[in-house]
Amino acid sequence: MLVRDAMSTMVLTIGPTHTLRQAARLMSARRIGAAVVHDPDTCGLGILTERDILNAVGSGQDPDVETASTHTTADVVFAAPAWTLEEAAAAMTHGGFRHLIVLDDDGPVGIVSVRDIIRCWAPARRHPVELVG
């Protein structure tokens, strides 16, 4: 199976001056875990994840003051739509991250997450799993 088959095509793109609270609201409203940060004045594309926001708030930083640019990962590994899910999983494992921005010649076309890959690899469940504990 290919990345194009698993990726989410809902790509939230924000600017570097969005506050962390603004980014969190937008991500929460769309029920997504990452936003593409587009900064044409610097590196171009980066990624801001829910974990980046959590780490900032957890360390006492003000989400109404801190901006996306300060917490964006700019050294991004991008996936191509034609990558296999195995290639995407290997890139995530090697890099220690959970999201890949998917690019084609025109720019971002999706984001693939660990959750997306698991959904494709997990067998379809016919009966709900009962959790014990």
Side-chain angles (χ1 to χ4, degrees), residues 89-119:
M92 290 177 185
T93 301
H94 179 71
F97 43 79
R98 299 178 301 157
H99 298 86
L100 286 169
I101 299 171
V102 183
L103 292 180
D104 70 6
D105 293 334
D106 297 323
V109 293
I111 292 185
V112 65
S113 70
V114 169
R115 182 177 302 170
D116 297 325
I117 293 171
I118 290 171
R119 276 191 199 120

Side-chain angles (χ1 to χ4, degrees), residues 10-86:
M10 180 179 292
V11 179
L12 172 62
T13 302
I14 63 173
T17 60
H18 276 79
T19 66
L20 294 185
R21 184 175 309 279
Q22 290 169 325
R25 279 189 185 131
L26 292 167
M27 290 163 61
S28 177
R30 289 164 179 79
R31 300 181 55 150
I32 56 175
V36 174
V37 180
H38 181 245
D39 187 352
D41 295 332
T42 60
C43 62
L45 294 178
I47 191 166
L48 178 72
T49 68
E50 58 197 355
R51 173 117 355 146
D52 297 326
I53 296 169
L54 180 69
N55 287 338
V57 172
S59 69
Q61 297 179 10
D62 186 344
D64 293 314
V65 174
E66 292 295 312
T67 61
S69 64
T70 308
H71 299 278
T72 297
T73 300
D75 186 19
V76 179
V77 175
F78 298 100
W83 276 20
T84 66
L85 293 185
E86 289 82 4

